[in-house]
Amino acid sequence: MDDLMQAARDAYENAYVPYSDYKVGAAIETADGTVYTGCNVENANYSNSMHAEEVAVSQAVADGHTEFERLAVSSAARDGVTPCGMCRQTLAEFCDDDFPVAVDGDDGGVYELGDLIPNTITRRMLD
């Protein structure tokens, strides 16, 4: 997970955060081992801001990937930030409950997606 976490750290360096000054980077590994990164991109209309995890997933999906192995998330504060609820739901669209999510910092560690967002809305529920 060290290489993936480093990719997340590198990604937050490109974050555009003129309002919060809170840089976040994410790195997601696809089933074939390709790594995609993302950083948060803020907007004066806060609801249009993009989160690092969603940017990384979106780039992977745009390249045709929908199967993922693991995710690492880091902030410049290295405070153990976890994906927000919206990002957790996005991850749940593509990943099972046992999908590993590594977070950076003293309180960091590796979580399973199902522990971060139990009983999520899934495609099966909508069928």
Side-chain angles (χ1 to χ4, degrees):
M1 198 66 92
D2 291 341
D3 289 343
L4 200 64
M5 186 60 73
Q6 187 58 53
R9 290 174 184 151
D10 292 343
Y12 72 60
E13 293 299 331
N14 294 321
Y16 177 76
V17 292
Y19 307 104
S20 71
D21 198 35
Y22 187 74
K23 294 181 174 192
V24 178
I28 193 162
E29 182 179 331
T30 67
D32 73 359
T34 305
V35 173
Y36 288 86
T37 61
C39 61
N40 52 330
V41 181
E42 293 179 348
N43 187 290
N45 172 357
Y46 293 121
S47 65
N48 288 2
S49 294
M50 296 179 284
H51 299 188
E53 301 90 333
E54 292 189 307
V55 171
V57 169
S58 296
Q59 289 187 22
V61 170
D63 275 352
H65 298 278
T66 57
E67 295 179 16
F68 302 102
E69 294 297 317
R70 58 196 183 134
L71 174 79
V73 181
S74 183
S75 73
R78 301 270 178 92
D79 56 1
V81 65
T82 61
C84 73
M86 186 172 65
C87 292
R88 293 172 188 192
Q89 180 63 53
T90 296
L91 291 165
E93 180 69 19
F94 301 101
C95 307
D96 293 330
D97 284 346
D98 62 350
F99 179 75
V101 177
V103 299
D104 199 6
D106 292 338
D107 294 331
V110 179
Y111 298 91
E112 289 189 348
L113 182 60
D115 292 333
L116 292 174
I117 186 166
N119 305 313
T120 187
I121 300 167
T122 65
R123 183 179 313 169
R124 289 184 299 274
M125 293 174 77
L126 299 177
D127 289 342

